[in-house]
Amino acid sequence: MRFLITGGAGYIGSHVAQRLLDTGHDVVILDNLSTGHKDAIPPEAEFYDIDLADGQATAQCVSCGPWDAVMHFAALSLVGVSMERPYEYLRSNAVTSLNLIEACAKYGVKRFVFSSTAALFGGKNLPPVIPDTAPVEPASPYGESKLIVERALKWADRIHGMRSACLRYFNAAGADPEGRLGEDHRPETHLIPLAIDALLGRRSSLKLFGNDYPTKDGTCVRDYIHVTDLADAHIYVVSKLDKESVTYNLGNGKGFSNLEVIEALERVSGKKLPWSWAPRRMGDPASLVADSSRFRADLGWNPLYSDIDSIVETALRWRITHPNGYAS
Ligand SMILES: NC(=O)c1ccc[n+]([C@@H]2O[C@H](COP(=O)([O-])OP(=O)(O)OC[C@H]3O[C@@H](n4cnc5c(N)ncnc54)[C@H](O)[C@@H]3O)[C@@H](O)[C@H]2O)c1
């Protein structure tokens, strides 16, 4: 099959591209390298340096189909920054996605997979494990921008028959088990790479925000899904799109507290990780864990790498072999 991947130079997109290539598919990557890396683009993939904000260039790229599916990862995705620059986030994520969706509809794309997010669930009384049916109530412009795209995709289905899968990821983590790719966000905001840098002495100490949450040890609990399992989920879901559009929560189904992540890193590395307490951050929910049981049941997907030790071990291994991240 032949896939167009936006954001394929980024963390998740590059892992999905690599997994598709490993399983014998053809991949074309569209990315403007704003947060992605040239070195993350698998050498077997065809690459176009295009900004999705440029509707004409986007449409020209999409016109070079046919595509068995388009997978859309490209986005601005820092929740905190979206609170400081709401209109930039709303505009950018909406406009770039609408340019892409419009071009896909014009050139007859039938299957579209979209990186949505757990940030859609920002309401107060959420259950400890969040089902697909939980009420959607974004607590940030970033979450809101993803909801706009989900809704646009509903119209693309109704009007143009383009089926879509909106995959609401929780926390992607870990690195390619073969060590070819890893996580290199700049700035880095994710717990595991920050913790690894503290462990390896590349930052002074890790700050844990809040120790009085109503969780097992008082620290925030998050659902970490290995990026390779997440990549497989994208391949599985394409088959579903022959019949209908779908929306799923995608996570591991298990929550790990910040302290448990630190313990796992210390266990796997045999080293002590320097960390200290800091006050709670505004807007951090105590716990965010996905109920992905419907996805597992519908698609027969079974995560292979998402135990916490495999996640931190693969992430640590890549970070040790790439002390400065990707070179370009
Ligand atoms: N990382 C996570 O845990 C997580 C969780 C939930 C949802 N998501 C979503 O998954 C997607 C991928 O996340 P990631 O962590 O890989 O992010 P990333 O920043 O590593 O990758 C995004 C890629 O998109 C490219 N890009 C951004 N704007 C673009 C534009 N206008 N035109 C062309 N390319 C553009 C960037 O250069 C980068 O290569 C995002 O949509 C994000 O919102 C990520």
Side-chain angles (χ1 to χ4, degrees), residues 192-226:
I192 292 175
L194 289 174
I196 289 174
D197 279 359
L199 184 83
L200 299 178
R202 293 178 188 149
R203 62 173 46 242
S204 49
S205 131
L206 177 73
K207 285 199 174 9
L208 288 193
F209 297 101
N211 58 8
D212 56 353
Y213 286 98
T215 58
K216 42 192 154 185
D217 57 25
T219 63
C220 285
V221 168
R222 294 290 178 269
D223 179 320
Y224 297 95
I225 176 84
H226 194 284

PDB file of all heavy atoms in Angstrom, residues 192-226:
ATOM      1  N   ILE A 192       9.461  11.356  30.371  1.00  0.00           N
ATOM      2  CA  ILE A 192      10.484  10.306  30.262  1.00  0.00           C
ATOM      3  C   ILE A 192      11.802  10.843  29.681  1.00  0.00           C
ATOM      4  O   ILE A 192      12.864  10.651  30.294  1.00  0.00           O
ATOM      5  CB  ILE A 192       9.925   9.065  29.536  1.00  0.00           C
ATOM      6  CG1 ILE A 192       8.863   8.415  30.445  1.00  0.00           C
ATOM      7  CG2 ILE A 192      11.031   8.075  29.169  1.00  0.00           C
ATOM      8  CD1 ILE A 192       8.118   7.241  29.866  1.00  0.00           C
ATOM      9  N   PRO A 193      11.793  11.568  28.546  1.00  0.00           N
ATOM     10  CA  PRO A 193      13.078  12.122  28.083  1.00  0.00           C
ATOM     11  C   PRO A 193      13.710  13.108  29.063  1.00  0.00           C
ATOM     12  O   PRO A 193      14.937  13.132  29.206  1.00  0.00           O
ATOM     13  CB  PRO A 193      12.731  12.805  26.753  1.00  0.00           C
ATOM     14  CG  PRO A 193      11.264  12.763  26.620  1.00  0.00           C
ATOM     15  CD  PRO A 193      10.714  11.775  27.573  1.00  0.00           C
ATOM     16  N   LEU A 194      12.879  13.878  29.771  1.00  0.00           N
ATOM     17  CA  LEU A 194      13.446  14.808  30.761  1.00  0.00           C
ATOM     18  C   LEU A 194      14.104  14.018  31.894  1.00  0.00           C
ATOM     19  O   LEU A 194      15.202  14.350  32.360  1.00  0.00           O
ATOM     20  CB  LEU A 194      12.346  15.717  31.340  1.00  0.00           C
ATOM     21  CG  LEU A 194      11.791  16.782  30.381  1.00  0.00           C
ATOM     22  CD1 LEU A 194      10.614  17.521  31.015  1.00  0.00           C
ATOM     23  CD2 LEU A 194      12.880  17.780  29.988  1.00  0.00           C
ATOM     24  N   ALA A 195      13.428  12.946  32.329  1.00  0.00           N
ATOM     25  CA  ALA A 195      13.974  12.122  33.414  1.00  0.00           C
ATOM     26  C   ALA A 195      15.279  11.457  32.969  1.00  0.00           C
ATOM     27  O   ALA A 195      16.246  11.373  33.741  1.00  0.00           O
ATOM     28  CB  ALA A 195      12.940  11.068  33.832  1.00  0.00           C
ATOM     29  N   ILE A 196      15.317  11.017  31.717  1.00  0.00           N
ATOM     30  CA  ILE A 196      16.544  10.366  31.214  1.00  0.00           C
ATOM     31  C   ILE A 196      17.700  11.370  31.208  1.00  0.00           C
ATOM     32  O   ILE A 196      18.821  11.044  31.596  1.00  0.00           O
ATOM     33  CB  ILE A 196      16.293   9.775  29.807  1.00  0.00           C
ATOM     34  CG1 ILE A 196      15.373   8.562  29.924  1.00  0.00           C
ATOM     35  CG2 ILE A 196      17.604   9.411  29.112  1.00  0.00           C
ATOM     36  CD1 ILE A 196      14.924   7.966  28.610  1.00  0.00           C
ATOM     37  N   ASP A 197      17.418  12.595  30.795  1.00  0.00           N
ATOM     38  CA  ASP A 197      18.487  13.598  30.780  1.00  0.00           C
ATOM     39  C   ASP A 197      19.003  13.874  32.194  1.00  0.00           C
ATOM     40  O   ASP A 197      20.198  14.098  32.388  1.00  0.00           O
ATOM     41  CB  ASP A 197      18.003  14.892  30.109  1.00  0.00           C
ATOM     42  CG  ASP A 197      18.064  14.773  28.585  1.00  0.00           C
ATOM     43  OD1 ASP A 197      18.502  13.712  28.093  1.00  0.00           O
ATOM     44  OD2 ASP A 197      17.672  15.730  27.898  1.00  0.00           O
ATOM     45  N   ALA A 198      18.103  13.844  33.172  1.00  0.00           N
ATOM     46  CA  ALA A 198      18.554  14.024  34.571  1.00  0.00           C
ATOM     47  C   ALA A 198      19.398  12.821  34.991  1.00  0.00           C
ATOM     48  O   ALA A 198      20.459  12.963  35.611  1.00  0.00           O
ATOM     49  CB  ALA A 198      17.349  14.200  35.484  1.00  0.00           C
ATOM     50  N   LEU A 199      18.944  11.634  34.602  1.00  0.00           N
ATOM     51  CA  LEU A 199      19.672  10.401  34.956  1.00  0.00           C
ATOM     52  C   LEU A 199      21.084  10.410  34.371  1.00  0.00           C
ATOM     53  O   LEU A 199      22.045   9.977  34.999  1.00  0.00           O
ATOM     54  CB  LEU A 199      18.889   9.208  34.409  1.00  0.00           C
ATOM     55  CG  LEU A 199      19.422   7.823  34.751  1.00  0.00           C
ATOM     56  CD1 LEU A 199      18.922   7.407  36.135  1.00  0.00           C
ATOM     57  CD2 LEU A 199      18.958   6.790  33.727  1.00  0.00           C
ATOM     58  N   LEU A 200      21.201  10.921  33.123  1.00  0.00           N
ATOM     59  CA  LEU A 200      22.502  10.904  32.441  1.00  0.00           C
ATOM     60  C   LEU A 200      23.334  12.150  32.753  1.00  0.00           C
ATOM     61  O   LEU A 200      24.382  12.361  32.153  1.00  0.00           O
ATOM     62  CB  LEU A 200      22.292  10.785  30.921  1.00  0.00           C
ATOM     63  CG  LEU A 200      21.576   9.507  30.450  1.00  0.00           C
ATOM     64  CD1 LEU A 200      21.379   9.538  28.937  1.00  0.00           C
ATOM     65  CD2 LEU A 200      22.345   8.260  30.852  1.00  0.00           C
ATOM     66  N   GLY A 201      22.836  12.985  33.678  1.00  0.00           N
ATOM     67  CA  GLY A 201      23.593  14.175  34.076  1.00  0.00           C
ATOM     68  C   GLY A 201      23.546  15.283  33.045  1.00  0.00           C
ATOM     69  O   GLY A 201      24.376  16.197  33.075  1.00  0.00           O
ATOM     70  N   ARG A 202      22.567  15.237  32.141  1.00  0.00           N
ATOM     71  CA  ARG A 202      22.495  16.283  31.115  1.00  0.00           C
ATOM     72  C   ARG A 202      21.616  17.447  31.551  1.00  0.00           C
ATOM     73  O   ARG A 202      21.467  18.420  30.830  1.00  0.00           O
ATOM     74  CB  ARG A 202      21.973  15.691  29.807  1.00  0.00           C
ATOM     75  CG  ARG A 202      22.985  14.726  29.237  1.00  0.00           C
ATOM     76  CD  ARG A 202      22.475  14.094  27.971  1.00  0.00           C
ATOM     77  NE  ARG A 202      23.397  13.051  27.581  1.00  0.00           N
ATOM     78  CZ  ARG A 202      23.047  11.949  26.945  1.00  0.00           C
ATOM     79  NH1 ARG A 202      21.793  11.747  26.616  1.00  0.00           N
ATOM     80  NH2 ARG A 202      23.948  11.053  26.630  1.00  0.00           N
ATOM     81  N   ARG A 203      20.945  17.315  32.664  1.00  0.00           N
ATOM     82  CA  ARG A 203      20.256  18.437  33.310  1.00  0.00           C
ATOM     83  C   ARG A 203      20.439  18.226  34.813  1.00  0.00           C
ATOM     84  O   ARG A 203      20.678  17.098  35.260  1.00  0.00           O
ATOM     85  CB  ARG A 203      18.787  18.524  32.920  1.00  0.00           C
ATOM     86  CG  ARG A 203      17.947  17.327  33.304  1.00  0.00           C
ATOM     87  CD  ARG A 203      16.468  17.522  33.050  1.00  0.00           C
ATOM     88  NE  ARG A 203      16.191  18.073  31.763  1.00  0.00           N
ATOM     89  CZ  ARG A 203      15.591  19.268  31.578  1.00  0.00           C
ATOM     90  NH1 ARG A 203      15.202  19.997  32.596  1.00  0.00           N
ATOM     91  NH2 ARG A 203      15.364  19.707  30.375  1.00  0.00           N
ATOM     92  N   SER A 204      20.285  19.316  35.580  1.00  0.00           N
ATOM     93  CA  SER A 204      20.682  19.194  36.989  1.00  0.00           C
ATOM     94  C   SER A 204      19.781  18.218  37.742  1.00  0.00           C
ATOM     95  O   SER A 204      20.255  17.286  38.381  1.00  0.00           O
ATOM     96  CB  SER A 204      20.702  20.560  37.649  1.00  0.00           C
ATOM     97  OG  SER A 204      19.492  21.219  37.350  1.00  0.00           O
ATOM     98  N   SER A 205      18.491  18.418  37.679  1.00  0.00           N
ATOM     99  CA  SER A 205      17.623  17.506  38.425  1.00  0.00           C
ATOM    100  C   SER A 205      16.224  17.591  37.830  1.00  0.00           C
ATOM    101  O   SER A 205      15.855  18.595  37.218  1.00  0.00           O
ATOM    102  CB  SER A 205      17.663  17.889  39.913  1.00  0.00           C
ATOM    103  OG  SER A 205      16.392  18.001  40.455  1.00  0.00           O
ATOM    104  N   LEU A 206      15.470  16.518  37.996  1.00  0.00           N
ATOM    105  CA  LEU A 206      14.117  16.485  37.434  1.00  0.00           C
ATOM    106  C   LEU A 206      13.154  17.081  38.445  1.00  0.00           C
ATOM    107  O   LEU A 206      13.228  16.762  39.638  1.00  0.00           O
ATOM    108  CB  LEU A 206      13.735  15.026  37.157  1.00  0.00           C
ATOM    109  CG  LEU A 206      12.326  14.803  36.628  1.00  0.00           C
ATOM    110  CD1 LEU A 206      12.222  15.269  35.179  1.00  0.00           C
ATOM    111  CD2 LEU A 206      11.943  13.333  36.736  1.00  0.00           C
ATOM    112  N   LYS A 207      12.246  17.929  37.989  1.00  0.00           N
ATOM    113  CA  LYS A 207      11.242  18.492  38.903  1.00  0.00           C
ATOM    114  C   LYS A 207       9.959  17.682  38.790  1.00  0.00           C
ATOM    115  O   LYS A 207       9.476  17.453  37.684  1.00  0.00           O
ATOM    116  CB  LYS A 207      10.943  19.936  38.520  1.00  0.00           C
ATOM    117  CG  LYS A 207      12.048  20.886  38.929  1.00  0.00           C
ATOM    118  CD  LYS A 207      11.527  22.308  38.969  1.00  0.00           C
ATOM    119  CE  LYS A 207      12.529  23.299  39.511  1.00  0.00           C
ATOM    120  NZ  LYS A 207      13.874  22.866  39.721  1.00  0.00           N
ATOM    121  N   LEU A 208       9.415  17.273  39.932  1.00  0.00           N
ATOM    122  CA  LEU A 208       8.111  16.604  39.936  1.00  0.00           C
ATOM    123  C   LEU A 208       7.089  17.598  40.468  1.00  0.00           C
ATOM    124  O   LEU A 208       7.200  18.074  41.607  1.00  0.00           O
ATOM    125  CB  LEU A 208       8.143  15.365  40.829  1.00  0.00           C
ATOM    126  CG  LEU A 208       8.927  14.166  40.314  1.00  0.00           C
ATOM    127  CD1 LEU A 208       8.606  12.931  41.136  1.00  0.00           C
ATOM    128  CD2 LEU A 208       8.630  13.895  38.840  1.00  0.00           C
ATOM    129  N   PHE A 209       6.096  17.888  39.631  1.00  0.00           N
ATOM    130  CA  PHE A 209       5.152  18.945  39.977  1.00  0.00           C
ATOM    131  C   PHE A 209       3.982  18.383  40.788  1.00  0.00           C
ATOM    132  O   PHE A 209       3.076  17.782  40.228  1.00  0.00           O
ATOM    133  CB  PHE A 209       4.642  19.620  38.697  1.00  0.00           C
ATOM    134  CG  PHE A 209       5.746  20.294  37.919  1.00  0.00           C
ATOM    135  CD1 PHE A 209       6.306  19.681  36.797  1.00  0.00           C
ATOM    136  CD2 PHE A 209       6.241  21.520  38.329  1.00  0.00           C
ATOM    137  CE1 PHE A 209       7.328  20.295  36.092  1.00  0.00           C
ATOM    138  CE2 PHE A 209       7.261  22.148  37.633  1.00  0.00           C
ATOM    139  CZ  PHE A 209       7.817  21.536  36.512  1.00  0.00           C
ATOM    140  N   GLY A 210       4.017  18.588  42.095  1.00  0.00           N
ATOM    141  CA  GLY A 210       2.895  18.216  42.957  1.00  0.00           C
ATOM    142  C   GLY A 210       3.063  16.839  43.582  1.00  0.00           C
ATOM    143  O   GLY A 210       3.425  15.879  42.904  1.00  0.00           O
ATOM    144  N   ASN A 211       2.815  16.786  44.898  1.00  0.00           N
ATOM    145  CA  ASN A 211       2.896  15.484  45.594  1.00  0.00           C
ATOM    146  C   ASN A 211       1.651  15.226  46.431  1.00  0.00           C
ATOM    147  O   ASN A 211       1.646  14.369  47.304  1.00  0.00           O
ATOM    148  CB  ASN A 211       4.162  15.406  46.468  1.00  0.00           C
ATOM    149  CG  ASN A 211       4.205  16.534  47.493  1.00  0.00           C
ATOM    150  OD1 ASN A 211       3.221  17.276  47.631  1.00  0.00           O
ATOM    151  ND2 ASN A 211       5.314  16.658  48.200  1.00  0.00           N
ATOM    152  N   ASP A 212       0.586  15.996  46.135  1.00  0.00           N
ATOM    153  CA  ASP A 212      -0.624  15.843  46.952  1.00  0.00           C
ATOM    154  C   ASP A 212      -1.859  15.585  46.085  1.00  0.00           C
ATOM    155  O   ASP A 212      -2.969  15.977  46.417  1.00  0.00           O
ATOM    156  CB  ASP A 212      -0.826  17.090  47.824  1.00  0.00           C
ATOM    157  CG  ASP A 212      -0.875  18.382  46.993  1.00  0.00           C
ATOM    158  OD1 ASP A 212      -0.626  18.311  45.768  1.00  0.00           O
ATOM    159  OD2 ASP A 212      -1.161  19.441  47.568  1.00  0.00           O
ATOM    160  N   TYR A 213      -1.647  14.958  44.948  1.00  0.00           N
ATOM    161  CA  TYR A 213      -2.793  14.573  44.102  1.00  0.00           C
ATOM    162  C   TYR A 213      -3.463  13.332  44.706  1.00  0.00           C
ATOM    163  O   TYR A 213      -2.801  12.529  45.388  1.00  0.00           O
ATOM    164  CB  TYR A 213      -2.323  14.248  42.679  1.00  0.00           C
ATOM    165  CG  TYR A 213      -1.962  15.466  41.871  1.00  0.00           C
ATOM    166  CD1 TYR A 213      -0.632  15.872  41.745  1.00  0.00           C
ATOM    167  CD2 TYR A 213      -2.946  16.213  41.235  1.00  0.00           C
ATOM    168  CE1 TYR A 213      -0.301  16.994  41.003  1.00  0.00           C
ATOM    169  CE2 TYR A 213      -2.616  17.347  40.490  1.00  0.00           C
ATOM    170  CZ  TYR A 213      -1.302  17.727  40.377  1.00  0.00           C
ATOM    171  OH  TYR A 213      -0.985  18.842  39.650  1.00  0.00           O
ATOM    172  N   PRO A 214      -4.763  13.165  44.461  1.00  0.00           N
ATOM    173  CA  PRO A 214      -5.452  11.977  44.987  1.00  0.00           C
ATOM    174  C   PRO A 214      -5.117  10.725  44.158  1.00  0.00           C
ATOM    175  O   PRO A 214      -5.978  10.143  43.499  1.00  0.00           O
ATOM    176  CB  PRO A 214      -6.934  12.361  44.871  1.00  0.00           C
ATOM    177  CG  PRO A 214      -6.975  13.346  43.744  1.00  0.00           C
ATOM    178  CD  PRO A 214      -5.669  14.073  43.754  1.00  0.00           C
ATOM    179  N   THR A 215      -3.852  10.335  44.154  1.00  0.00           N
ATOM    180  CA  THR A 215      -3.386   9.162  43.393  1.00  0.00           C
ATOM    181  C   THR A 215      -2.640   8.235  44.350  1.00  0.00           C
ATOM    182  O   THR A 215      -2.455   8.568  45.519  1.00  0.00           O
ATOM    183  CB  THR A 215      -2.423   9.593  42.269  1.00  0.00           C
ATOM    184  OG1 THR A 215      -1.327  10.304  42.863  1.00  0.00           O
ATOM    185  CG2 THR A 215      -3.102  10.503  41.249  1.00  0.00           C
ATOM    186  N   LYS A 216      -2.156   7.095  43.835  1.00  0.00           N
ATOM    187  CA  LYS A 216      -1.542   6.099  44.723  1.00  0.00           C
ATOM    188  C   LYS A 216      -0.382   6.641  45.541  1.00  0.00           C
ATOM    189  O   LYS A 216      -0.206   6.287  46.690  1.00  0.00           O
ATOM    190  CB  LYS A 216      -1.114   4.851  43.943  1.00  0.00           C
ATOM    191  CG  LYS A 216      -0.452   5.116  42.604  1.00  0.00           C
ATOM    192  CD  LYS A 216      -0.331   3.818  41.787  1.00  0.00           C
ATOM    193  CE  LYS A 216      -0.289   4.146  40.301  1.00  0.00           C
ATOM    194  NZ  LYS A 216      -0.286   3.002  39.437  1.00  0.00           N
ATOM    195  N   ASP A 217       0.447   7.545  44.985  1.00  0.00           N
ATOM    196  CA  ASP A 217       1.574   8.080  45.767  1.00  0.00           C
ATOM    197  C   ASP A 217       1.608   9.600  45.779  1.00  0.00           C
ATOM    198  O   ASP A 217       2.618  10.205  46.133  1.00  0.00           O
ATOM    199  CB  ASP A 217       2.907   7.507  45.243  1.00  0.00           C
ATOM    200  CG  ASP A 217       3.105   7.794  43.746  1.00  0.00           C
ATOM    201  OD1 ASP A 217       2.522   8.775  43.241  1.00  0.00           O
ATOM    202  OD2 ASP A 217       3.842   7.042  43.091  1.00  0.00           O
ATOM    203  N   GLY A 218       0.499  10.227  45.362  1.00  0.00           N
ATOM    204  CA  GLY A 218       0.412  11.692  45.425  1.00  0.00           C
ATOM    205  C   GLY A 218       0.926  12.388  44.176  1.00  0.00           C
ATOM    206  O   GLY A 218       0.721  13.588  44.002  1.00  0.00           O
ATOM    207  N   THR A 219       1.596  11.636  43.254  1.00  0.00           N
ATOM    208  CA  THR A 219       2.078  12.277  42.027  1.00  0.00           C
ATOM    209  C   THR A 219       1.116  11.965  40.873  1.00  0.00           C
ATOM    210  O   THR A 219       0.325  11.020  40.954  1.00  0.00           O
ATOM    211  CB  THR A 219       3.512  11.809  41.658  1.00  0.00           C
ATOM    212  OG1 THR A 219       3.503  10.395  41.389  1.00  0.00           O
ATOM    213  CG2 THR A 219       4.488  12.103  42.792  1.00  0.00           C
ATOM    214  N   CYS A 220       1.221  12.749  39.810  1.00  0.00           N
ATOM    215  CA  CYS A 220       0.300  12.582  38.672  1.00  0.00           C
ATOM    216  C   CYS A 220       0.475  11.201  38.031  1.00  0.00           C
ATOM    217  O   CYS A 220       1.584  10.673  37.964  1.00  0.00           O
ATOM    218  CB  CYS A 220       0.579  13.641  37.617  1.00  0.00           C
ATOM    219  SG  CYS A 220      -0.029  15.252  38.075  1.00  0.00           S
ATOM    220  N   VAL A 221      -0.638  10.678  37.548  1.00  0.00           N
ATOM    221  CA  VAL A 221      -0.625   9.363  36.891  1.00  0.00           C
ATOM    222  C   VAL A 221      -0.947   9.562  35.411  1.00  0.00           C
ATOM    223  O   VAL A 221      -1.890  10.272  35.061  1.00  0.00           O
ATOM    224  CB  VAL A 221      -1.667   8.432  37.555  1.00  0.00           C
ATOM    225  CG1 VAL A 221      -1.902   7.182  36.728  1.00  0.00           C
ATOM    226  CG2 VAL A 221      -1.221   8.066  38.970  1.00  0.00           C
ATOM    227  N   ARG A 222      -0.143   8.932  34.544  1.00  0.00           N
ATOM    228  CA  ARG A 222      -0.374   9.042  33.110  1.00  0.00           C
ATOM    229  C   ARG A 222      -0.297   7.662  32.459  1.00  0.00           C
ATOM    230  O   ARG A 222       0.314   6.734  32.983  1.00  0.00           O
ATOM    231  CB  ARG A 222       0.687   9.949  32.450  1.00  0.00           C
ATOM    232  CG  ARG A 222       0.611  11.403  32.885  1.00  0.00           C
ATOM    233  CD  ARG A 222      -0.639  12.095  32.328  1.00  0.00           C
ATOM    234  NE  ARG A 222      -0.751  13.488  32.768  1.00  0.00           N
ATOM    235  CZ  ARG A 222      -1.393  13.898  33.865  1.00  0.00           C
ATOM    236  NH1 ARG A 222      -2.002  13.021  34.663  1.00  0.00           N
ATOM    237  NH2 ARG A 222      -1.459  15.175  34.175  1.00  0.00           N
ATOM    238  N   ASP A 223      -0.925   7.583  31.288  1.00  0.00           N
ATOM    239  CA  ASP A 223      -0.967   6.339  30.517  1.00  0.00           C
ATOM    240  C   ASP A 223       0.114   6.446  29.437  1.00  0.00           C
ATOM    241  O   ASP A 223       0.021   7.297  28.552  1.00  0.00           O
ATOM    242  CB  ASP A 223      -2.366   6.243  29.894  1.00  0.00           C
ATOM    243  CG  ASP A 223      -2.565   5.012  29.032  1.00  0.00           C
ATOM    244  OD1 ASP A 223      -1.631   4.653  28.293  1.00  0.00           O
ATOM    245  OD2 ASP A 223      -3.666   4.449  29.071  1.00  0.00           O
ATOM    246  N   TYR A 224       1.158   5.616  29.527  1.00  0.00           N
ATOM    247  CA  TYR A 224       2.241   5.656  28.533  1.00  0.00           C
ATOM    248  C   TYR A 224       2.084   4.495  27.574  1.00  0.00           C
ATOM    249  O   TYR A 224       2.039   3.333  27.991  1.00  0.00           O
ATOM    250  CB  TYR A 224       3.608   5.569  29.232  1.00  0.00           C
ATOM    251  CG  TYR A 224       3.847   6.753  30.127  1.00  0.00           C
ATOM    252  CD1 TYR A 224       3.551   6.693  31.489  1.00  0.00           C
ATOM    253  CD2 TYR A 224       4.325   7.949  29.612  1.00  0.00           C
ATOM    254  CE1 TYR A 224       3.730   7.787  32.312  1.00  0.00           C
ATOM    255  CE2 TYR A 224       4.513   9.063  30.428  1.00  0.00           C
ATOM    256  CZ  TYR A 224       4.221   8.971  31.773  1.00  0.00           C
ATOM    257  OH  TYR A 224       4.388  10.063  32.581  1.00  0.00           O
ATOM    258  N   ILE A 225       1.985   4.833  26.280  1.00  0.00           N
ATOM    259  CA  ILE A 225       1.865   3.800  25.262  1.00  0.00           C
ATOM    260  C   ILE A 225       3.147   3.828  24.428  1.00  0.00           C
ATOM    261  O   ILE A 225       3.586   4.901  24.010  1.00  0.00           O
ATOM    262  CB  ILE A 225       0.591   4.015  24.404  1.00  0.00           C
ATOM    263  CG1 ILE A 225       0.493   3.012  23.267  1.00  0.00           C
ATOM    264  CG2 ILE A 225       0.484   5.394  23.821  1.00  0.00           C
ATOM    265  CD1 ILE A 225      -0.103   1.719  23.670  1.00  0.00           C
ATOM    266  N   HIS A 226       3.749   2.644  24.218  1.00  0.00           N
ATOM    267  CA  HIS A 226       4.999   2.619  23.452  1.00  0.00           C
ATOM    268  C   HIS A 226       4.733   3.072  22.026  1.00  0.00           C
ATOM    269  O   HIS A 226       3.772   2.653  21.390  1.00  0.00           O
ATOM    270  CB  HIS A 226       5.610   1.209  23.454  1.00  0.00           C
ATOM    271  CG  HIS A 226       7.032   1.217  22.972  1.00  0.00           C
ATOM    272  ND1 HIS A 226       7.369   1.350  21.656  1.00  0.00           N
ATOM    273  CD2 HIS A 226       8.204   1.143  23.651  1.00  0.00           C
ATOM    274  CE1 HIS A 226       8.692   1.358  21.521  1.00  0.00           C
ATOM    275  NE2 HIS A 226       9.220   1.230  22.739  1.00  0.00           N
TER     276      HIS A 226
END
